[in-house]
Amino acid sequence: MKKIIPGCALIVSLALCACAKGGANVAATETRKTTVYFINGMSPDDYYRQFLFKLTRACGRGAVIYRFAASETVKIAVNARGRDVLANLSVFMSADHTFQAFYQEMDVLNYTTDGFTYRDSRETVVRGQWRINEDRLVFDTLGVARPMYENGRPKMVLRMKDDLMTKGLKGAALILANVRADYMPIPALDPCR
């Protein structure tokens, strides 16, 4: 299990916050009417733009690799048959402040040394708007994310505001990081189809 240490948010004049390993350094500068936040020396806008969806190669020029923010697979419930229900989330943020998210749940049949086998995969696509509020990223239909650094990688911790399918996701904290993949879970977003 990964240890998450929340970032610090201090409202002080030109001060930086020294945070524990695993957290993001968050600082704020207060003027008469405006508070300006920084995350590890970047504006929140620059920090969260690192997670924008993009292609790493042009269509038709070899293998296309997609970059997007994805969560680790997490246990959210146990179903009526006593099987663990696992979930994961992939978020495709656009520069126009819209996003589409691919959410998947799986009923685990058994765990193996290198993962698990499952049955009854359920999937849905969630669409919405994103915006920055102080040092947080707000997804209007998903929840609120805060910055996090782990092993030198920028990540975000998304606190889910609702259950998307199975009861148990609401309030869960999903850790999202940029991933590179050669597949597109939302075909409508694939510019190469």
Side-chain angles (χ1 to χ4, degrees):
M1 179 174 214
K2 295 190 176 169
K3 184 176 180 183
I4 303 169
I5 300 173
C8 300
L10 300 176
I11 311 284
V12 295
S13 178
L14 299 173
L16 292 177
C17 169
C19 295
K21 182 179 178 185
N25 289 328
V26 178
T29 301
E30 187 174 350
T31 63
R32 289 183 193 192
K33 297 180 182 180
T34 306
T35 302
V36 179
Y37 289 85
F38 296 94
I39 304 166
N40 283 20
M42 292 189 280
S43 71
D45 190 59
D46 288 341
Y47 182 84
Y48 290 114
R49 285 187 179 277
Q50 297 176 96
F51 299 98
L52 291 178
F53 167 63
K54 77 175 203 175
L55 298 176
T56 59
R57 284 204 179 98
C59 301
R61 296 190 179 178
V64 175
I65 303 296
Y66 305 93
R67 186 192 78 185
F68 52 92
S71 76
E72 300 169 340
T73 300
V74 296
K75 178 180 170 183
I76 60 163
V78 175
N79 68 17
R81 294 178 298 241
R83 294 185 179 142
D84 288 348
V85 178
L86 304 182
N88 59 55
L89 180 73
S90 298
V91 180
F92 302 85
M93 294 171 50
S94 297
D96 67 357
H97 289 255
T98 62
F99 74 89
Q100 294 188 52
F102 177 78
Y103 176 74
Q104 180 183 33
E105 290 183 356
M106 300 150 285
D107 295 339
V108 175
L109 293 175
N110 58 54
Y111 289 96
T112 64
T113 56
D114 60 347
F116 56 91
T117 58
Y118 65 91
R119 167 184 276 157
D120 300 331
S121 174
R122 296 167 301 285
E123 304 162 350
T124 190
V125 174
V126 178
R127 292 172 178 83
Q129 304 280 319
W130 64 269
R131 64 182 169 80
I132 294 170
N133 183 8
E134 296 177 347
D135 67 331
R136 310 293 183 177
L137 180 63
V138 178
F139 294 99
D140 63 352
T141 54
L142 292 177
V144 178
R146 65 174 173 77
M148 174 188 171
Y149 267 84
E150 186 175 59
N151 298 323
R153 279 185 75 193
K155 298 182 178 187
M156 58 181 150
V157 181
L158 175 61
R159 181 74 57 187
M160 299 299 293
K161 74 177 197 172
D162 289 312
D163 294 320
L164 297 180
M165 286 187 218
T166 300
K167 188 173 182 170
L169 183 66
K170 182 178 181 176
L174 303 180
I175 299 172
L176 288 94
N178 274 333
V179 296
R180 288 172 173 77
D182 61 356
Y183 67 92
M184 171 52 65
I186 305 175
L189 288 180
D190 190 348
C192 299
R193 324 184 313 170

